[in-house]
Amino acid sequence: QDWRLLLVNAWNLLPESYTVELVRLKNGLQVDKRIYDDLNAMLTDCRAAGLQPIVCSAYRTQATQTRLYNNKVSRLRAVGYSAEEARVEAARWVAPPGTSEHQTGLALDISCASLNFELEEAFAYTKEGKWLKTNAPLYGFILRYPRRKEHITQYPWEPWHIRFVG
């Protein structure tokens, strides 16, 4: 199987045997070593265009993904969701452990200074968001959760989430 086409989601769990060789970005986050050169070239060219992209999230361990998911469940429980409702709703926004592309090292969340580096739908309308939507495919990256494809991806629109496919 081609590593670039590994599908990880709620129906396709990360294989238990999956391993990743990581390389550290300048900001301390890590990605799969095999995507580093393409990612670096893309970010360098984006910056050369006068923009300020920042990788806000990259590789996540099982423990980190578990913590993020459990935190979302806890926040939903605190506002009145039942345990089951909270688990279901949390999974709409934060992938349960073993189902996140971030655990492959092939997925990234990118934001910009104009949004205080937050992950918001408004990213799509920033210069950085527009540049990435147009240019990321030239470097092997796709916008993984596009608008109006929720019925296919089963995830809300995330204009900040890109995935390397080669």
Side-chain angles (χ1 to χ4, degrees), residues 113-128:
S114 65
L115 294 177
N116 296 316
F117 307 112
E118 295 293 324
L119 300 176
E120 300 176 13
E121 288 181 358
F123 180 70
Y125 308 107
T126 66
K127 291 178 182 178
E128 289 83 357

Side-chain angles (χ1 to χ4, degrees), residues 36-95:
Y36 179 79
D37 290 339
D38 292 308
L39 175 62
N40 190 50
M42 180 178 71
L43 294 174
T44 297
D45 289 350
C46 187
R47 290 180 184 116
L51 306 176
Q52 299 178 42
I54 182 75
V55 176
C56 296
S57 181
Y59 171 75
R60 295 181 191 154
T61 64
Q62 179 82 358
T64 297
Q65 195 63 36
T66 299
R67 179 179 47 78
L68 292 171
Y69 176 74
N70 288 342
N71 285 348
K72 183 67 172 178
V73 170
S74 294
R75 288 192 306 273
L76 292 167
R77 294 279 289 143
V79 297
Y81 283 76
S82 71
E84 179 60 22
E85 291 169 337
R87 284 191 296 274
V88 170
E89 182 64 15
R92 290 185 62 230
W93 304 97
V94 179

Side-chain angles (χ1 to χ4, degrees), residues 1-152:
Q1 180 177 336
D2 188 337
W3 63 272
R4 292 168 291 213
L5 302 180
L6 176 65
L7 180 60
V8 176
N9 58 30
W11 307 271
N12 299 279
L13 300 178
L14 184 69
E16 287 187 25
S17 61
Y18 186 78
T19 59
V20 58
E21 186 175 350
L22 298 168
V23 63
R24 194 168 303 278
L25 303 177
K26 290 177 184 175
N27 66 359
L29 297 176
Q30 299 178 88
V31 297
D32 185 307
K33 181 180 180 179
R34 299 170 290 191
I35 75 168
Y36 179 79
D37 290 339
D38 292 308
L39 175 62
N40 190 50
M42 180 178 71
L43 294 174
T44 297
D45 289 350
C46 187
R47 290 180 184 116
L51 306 176
Q52 299 178 42
I54 182 75
V55 176
C56 296
S57 181
Y59 171 75
R60 295 181 191 154
T61 64
Q62 179 82 358
T64 297
Q65 195 63 36
T66 299
R67 179 179 47 78
L68 292 171
Y69 176 74
N70 288 342
N71 285 348
K72 183 67 172 178
V73 170
S74 294
R75 288 192 306 273
L76 292 167
R77 294 279 289 143
V79 297
Y81 283 76
S82 71
E84 179 60 22
E85 291 169 337
R87 284 191 296 274
V88 170
E89 182 64 15
R92 290 185 62 230
W93 304 97
V94 179
T99 69
S100 174
E101 290 186 327
H102 285 283
Q103 291 179 255
T104 67
L106 305 173
L108 308 148
D109 293 337
I110 297 181
S111 189
C112 58
S114 65
L115 294 177
N116 296 316
F117 307 112
E118 295 293 324
L119 300 176
E120 300 176 13
E121 288 181 358
F123 180 70
Y125 308 107
T126 66
K127 291 178 182 178
E128 289 83 357
K130 291 175 184 178
W131 190 96
L132 281 173
K133 183 178 180 184
T134 300
N135 294 288
L138 302 174
Y139 302 87
F141 291 89
I142 61 167
L143 176 60
R144 182 62 178 91
Y145 304 117
R147 184 188 308 198
R148 291 186 282 283
K149 298 296 182 184
E150 295 87 348
H151 64 287
I152 296 170

